Amino acid sequence: MTQMRFERELPSALEHPLVRTLRELSGCCAEPRELLDTFPAVIAPFLAVLASPHAHAPVLHAAAAALARLVAQGGLARGDASASAASTTIVEAVVGRLGRAELGGGALASVDVFEPLAQRLLLLLVQLRHALTPPVLAAAVCAALDAACAESASPAMGVCAEGALLQLTRAAFGRLRTPSADEEVEELLLEMLGSLLGTLGSKAAHCPAALEAVSAAMHAGGPALGTHAHLVAPLRSCVLPALCEAARGSGGSSALAASLRAFAHCVAEHRRVLRAPIGVYWESVLLGSAGSTSERVELLLECVHSLLLLRGLVGFLWVHYDCTLGRCDLCEATVHLLTTHAMPRADGGALGSSCLLALCGLVALLEQLVLVPQQESGESEKESKKEKESEVRAHDKEGEEGAPRPPSPSPSPSPSPYPSPSPSPSVGVQAAERVRQRREMKRVLALAAAHFNAKPAKCFDLLRAKGLLAADSVDAERVALFLLAVPSLSKVAVGDFLGEPAAATDGTLEAYVRRAGLGGLGLLEALRRLLSLFRLPGEAQKIARILEAFAQQHARTGADAAEFGHADGVYVLCYSIVLLNVDLHNPNVKKRMTPDDFVRANRGINDGADFGEGLLR
């Protein structure tokens, strides 16, 4: 084992006696395979040195060098229980030492001493990575991550820490490719990897090493990452938002390239379970090239071109974004991006690299267009059925199954805006027809939303003309579904419409509150959820109509409905809560209401009785 620079500088006459003793002890272990039965006793002195808060740098170097020599000679290569226990003990001691602010201790804790020792300890972690249990391996990854993200580290230390981080990350996520037969061990591994993904994602936006580790984790885990709910959740909530932030940050081309690599892997392997965050990244990063430098534009176009080479991706984008309500038209916007950059220069100059990349992307897109109606549409329907039965789909928070669906065409005698299918169409033609109907439905509802925000009557005239509402009567249920399902509606316009007398008379307000998903919630939670869907109007009469409809519904289905004697009590209390909110947050109010004032103001409103103070406070 090569000596560290600090060790070579020490004259032999000045060498610490304990250092000499440790070296002699490690030299006696020339054949560590023969000592496995007594291995805990053999490594105990070295581990005690690493754990000691008073050990100085020369002693720590000697202990680390001795342990590294034992590992390098194959003392722990058998992989049995005793070797695994010894490896775990060593790594726990190393991680504990790496977590100390002063690795060298005392007056010798300078950078010249700190970094060589830290490098040796990191290399020791890498040597033992395949023999560790999941929790210990996760601790090792976190220790390497902290070292790699340290701002005060030298370039040499940064390279060493990043290399150790990447190797430890690959070892951790590579275990997904060989599932354990023990369900308890498998569950522990998934929980550990999910937590580790969240930790890496939290630092990926600002630490290039963490960004590279995220990419390494995705490549090592492969398709298995998208099949476990423990791993899909941090991918959606932490990793992809961090990749998006890193790509839009000031990290330069290297950070953008690393972010694009990780994103491309997400699209290639996990796009079926990460639709919402993939759409956000695609729209904000890949399509956000306006005003960017030429180098950034080339990187983005190169990524778009490589993604469009993935079989079936164009159809996936078209079906799940352009033809899905509430999502950006990614396919259409991507075509616009490519055609914009593919246009030749106005001065007749030579085509640049960005122009050529855009042309290549258009060619790749055109080659896949034939697959959209015949193949991708049919596949998407089969996969959607499987997703409804999978565990990942149960934990999917994108809201596709729980969200209200837009109203389907009414069975009224008005003519349908869609062409009738042929008498015996093939499966591919039927699927293509359904996709075209979804696209037309999205276009009509977007136009109706624009009309509603300006003049609701014009919106409903359009819906009746398209057969989405009955022509001769008010369909309160379909109007409520429209108000809940279309995301581009103005919250102010929705609140004003629901507060009108007509909405209460024809049953639209009641249907809206009933379909808002408020059942089983407490009063405050249900009221917050309802008022998050629209903006409460400013007129007192409109507020009263909305709160009255809410009170009637909550008195029937609320989790705390038994506490209310009558719906009138819910109504009065809700009105008091709205007034309290104004009192607390209006800057023009000089004297704020206290909790005691609020309790006194609401005495006797529960059908002549008082509410419990636990509810009011």
Side-chain angles (χ1 to χ4, degrees), residues 523-575:
L523 178 65
L524 285 179
E525 186 179 357
L527 188 59
R528 287 194 189 101
R529 182 165 181 176
L530 177 68
L531 298 184
S532 68
L533 300 176
F534 58 87
R535 183 174 176 179
L536 199 64
E539 297 182 25
Q541 291 182 342
K542 292 185 176 182
I543 295 175
R545 293 188 191 99
I546 294 173
L547 293 182
E548 185 177 358
F550 169 78
Q552 295 289 342
Q553 179 66 22
H554 189 77
R556 291 192 300 267
T557 64
D560 49 4
E563 299 183 26
F564 302 100
H566 194 272
D568 291 344
V570 183
Y571 169 75
V572 175
L573 183 56
C574 288
Y575 216 113

Side-chain angles (χ1 to χ4, degrees), residues 281-313:
Y281 187 101
W282 195 296
E283 181 180 6
S284 60
V285 177
L286 296 185
L287 301 178
S289 61
S292 302
T293 62
S294 58
E295 183 181 9
R296 180 180 177 87
V297 170
E298 289 177 9
L299 284 173
L300 295 176
L301 290 175
E302 185 177 356
C303 180
V304 171
H305 173 228
S306 64
L307 290 174
L308 291 176
L309 293 175
L310 296 173
R311 183 177 178 85
L313 181 65

Side-chain angles (χ1 to χ4, degrees), residues 120-146:
R120 171 159 279 170
L121 294 176
L122 288 171
L123 293 176
L124 188 56
L125 292 180
V126 173
Q127 287 178 283
L128 295 170
R129 64 188 184 277
H130 295 299
L132 302 178
T133 60
V136 178
L137 183 55
V141 174
C142 292
L145 178 63
D146 292 338

Side-chain angles (χ1 to χ4, degrees), residues 17-68:
L18 183 56
V19 174
R20 288 197 301 269
T21 304
L22 288 171
R23 285 181 178 167
E24 292 171 1
L25 181 59
S26 63
C28 296
C29 302
E31 293 296 335
R33 295 182 183 85
E34 302 174 359
L35 303 175
L36 275 178
D37 294 336
T38 59
F39 216 83
V42 172
I43 64 175
F46 309 106
L47 299 180
V49 171
L50 288 181
S52 173
H54 306 294
H56 290 280
V59 181
L60 289 168
H61 274 296
L67 290 172

Side-chain angles (χ1 to χ4, degrees), residues 13-253:
L14 300 178
E15 190 172 42
H16 196 284
L18 183 56
V19 174
R20 288 197 301 269
T21 304
L22 288 171
R23 285 181 178 167
E24 292 171 1
L25 181 59
S26 63
C28 296
C29 302
E31 293 296 335
R33 295 182 183 85
E34 302 174 359
L35 303 175
L36 275 178
D37 294 336
T38 59
F39 216 83
V42 172
I43 64 175
F46 309 106
L47 299 180
V49 171
L50 288 181
S52 173
H54 306 294
H56 290 280
V59 181
L60 289 168
H61 274 296
L67 290 172
R69 185 176 296 113
L70 292 173
V71 174
Q73 290 175 348
L76 304 177
R78 291 198 328 186
D80 56 10
S82 58
S84 178
S87 301
T88 298
T89 305
I90 293 174
V91 170
E92 288 175 347
V94 171
V95 170
R97 174 55 64 176
L98 282 172
R100 295 181 184 274
E102 295 183 348
L103 287 177
L108 296 178
S110 63
V111 174
D112 292 340
V113 177
F114 170 87
E115 291 196 343
L117 177 58
Q119 292 177 35
R120 171 159 279 170
L121 294 176
L122 288 171
L123 293 176
L124 188 56
L125 292 180
V126 173
Q127 287 178 283
L128 295 170
R129 64 188 184 277
H130 295 299
L132 302 178
T133 60
V136 178
L137 183 55
V141 174
C142 292
L145 178 63
D146 292 338
C149 295
E151 297 180 357
S152 59
S154 66
M157 177 63 188
V159 171
C160 177
E162 183 174 348
L165 174 63
L166 294 180
Q167 292 194 59
L168 290 169
T169 302
R170 292 190 189 101
F173 287 88
R175 297 188 179 186
L176 287 173
R177 297 180 180 270
T178 56
S180 173
D182 190 337
E183 293 184 1
E184 184 175 350
V185 173
E186 183 73 9
E187 186 72 12
L188 180 64
L189 174 65
L190 293 175
E191 290 181 2
M192 180 271 293
L193 294 180
S195 176
L196 202 55
L197 266 180
T199 303
L200 292 173
S202 64
K203 296 190 177 183
H206 309 289
C207 177
L211 194 59
E212 294 290 349
V214 167
S215 183
M218 291 183 177
H219 283 282
L225 274 176
T227 60
H228 302 287
H230 288 298
L231 306 179
V232 172
L235 281 175
R236 181 182 297 118
S237 61
C238 297
V239 173
L240 275 167
L243 295 179
C244 189
E245 185 178 353
R248 293 183 297 178
S250 57
S253 300

Side-chain angles (χ1 to χ4, degrees), residues 310-363:
L310 296 173
R311 183 177 178 85
L313 181 65
V314 174
F316 175 83
L317 295 178
W318 177 259
V319 171
H320 296 293
Y321 296 94
D322 293 62
C323 298
T324 300
L325 189 66
R327 288 185 175 167
C328 177
D329 297 338
L330 291 188
C331 193
E332 184 177 320
T334 301
V335 172
H336 177 73
L337 172 73
L338 295 175
T339 52
T340 300
H341 287 284
M343 292 295 291
R345 295 173 52 180
D347 57 4
L351 297 180
S353 56
S354 61
C355 182
L356 294 176
L357 286 170
L359 286 172
C360 292
L362 283 173
V363 171

